[in-house]
Amino acid sequence: MSGLRFPVGRLPDEALLSGLATGDPELAEVFVRRFQHRVFGVAMAVTRDQQLAEDVAQQTFERAWRHAQIYDSRRGSVGTWLTTIAHNLAVDAVRARRTEPMAPEDLDPLLDAVTETPERWALADEASTQLRAALARLPREQARALMMAGIYGMTAQQIADAERIPLGTAKTRIRAAMAKLRAALACPKGGDHVR
């Protein structure tokens, strides 16, 4: 491909992804350079750990290489597809590292990372946008309980212990948050009633 008359760096994202899939080293390098900052940024926003974010970024590009043939431009841009992979891998990495419940004071930055970060524009598919918006409208204590249960797999008892609240209150927060999310996602246009 080095015999092209125009700079390789100006190729469309889809062409670079195809080059990555075929193993073209020049196109693969340009592809990684084009997206490395965005992918690392998403990974860093979720993991808050540079080494883990670097590992996630590496895994993201490996997965993109292995699955480039299933990319579908009708479902979003290459950048969105790639950052979605990075986000999912980062969330999985955070979950895998947690051998004990997350400290409640550490949840607020994670909740912010899910609802209000630079990755918001990168993960722009309609369902995830609606979910993040509905989650952001939940009362903070309900959103925290839902994140503890949904992302970290904590039981209601573990949430009650971590938040220093009665078990019934933890269950109520989870149930209320789930009901509000279901209602917001069932009728996304009128989602203001989530409060």
Side-chain angles (χ1 to χ4, degrees):
M1 283 256 148
S2 58
L4 294 175
R5 294 180 189 253
F6 57 92
V8 175
R10 292 191 183 182
L11 285 173
D13 296 344
E14 291 82 4
L16 292 177
L17 181 60
S18 295
L20 178 72
T22 62
D24 182 299
E26 186 177 9
L27 293 179
E29 181 180 347
V30 173
F31 181 84
V32 170
R33 286 180 191 258
R34 184 173 291 178
F35 293 106
Q36 67 186 357
H37 295 294
R38 185 185 309 182
V39 167
F40 179 77
V42 169
M44 191 66 184
V46 175
T47 66
R48 306 240 187 240
D49 178 309
Q50 183 170 349
Q51 182 61 49
L52 187 56
E54 289 172 3
D55 292 345
V56 166
Q58 171 89 26
Q59 292 171 13
T60 299
F61 287 111
E62 289 172 4
R63 186 163 293 177
W65 169 67
R66 286 193 317 269
H67 299 289
Q69 70 279 2
I70 65 168
Y71 165 73
D72 182 358
S73 62
R74 295 173 296 182
R75 298 188 69 194
S77 70
V78 171
T80 299
W81 177 70
L82 196 61
T83 52
T84 299
I85 293 171
H87 179 268
N88 292 341
L89 288 171
V91 169
D92 290 346
V94 169
R95 283 182 187 156
R97 283 186 118 188
R98 298 281 177 211
T99 56
E100 57 188 57
M102 181 175 226
E105 60 273 7
D106 294 337
L107 275 179
D108 288 327
L110 181 62
L111 188 55
D112 290 339
V114 173
T115 59
E116 297 294 333
T117 68
E119 71 189 3
R120 181 190 262 296
W121 60 272
L123 302 172
D125 84 23
E126 190 174 333
S128 65
T129 300
Q130 290 172 358
L131 180 60
R132 281 193 311 277
L135 185 61
R137 287 191 302 266
L138 289 176
R140 196 74 169 177
E141 67 276 356
Q142 289 178 5
R144 287 170 54 90
L146 187 62
M147 297 245 333
M148 288 173 155
I151 293 181
Y152 293 99
M154 293 172 69
T155 65
Q157 183 63 59
Q158 289 171 324
I159 294 168
D161 294 344
E163 296 283 281
R164 296 183 179 94
I165 57 175
L167 177 60
T169 301
K171 289 179 179 181
T172 299
R173 287 179 182 177
I174 296 167
R175 273 194 308 273
M178 289 300 296
K180 289 175 182 178
L181 283 182
R182 275 190 211 103
L185 296 176
C187 53
K189 302 277 191 256
D192 289 340
H193 68 282
V194 168
R195 292 180 194 270

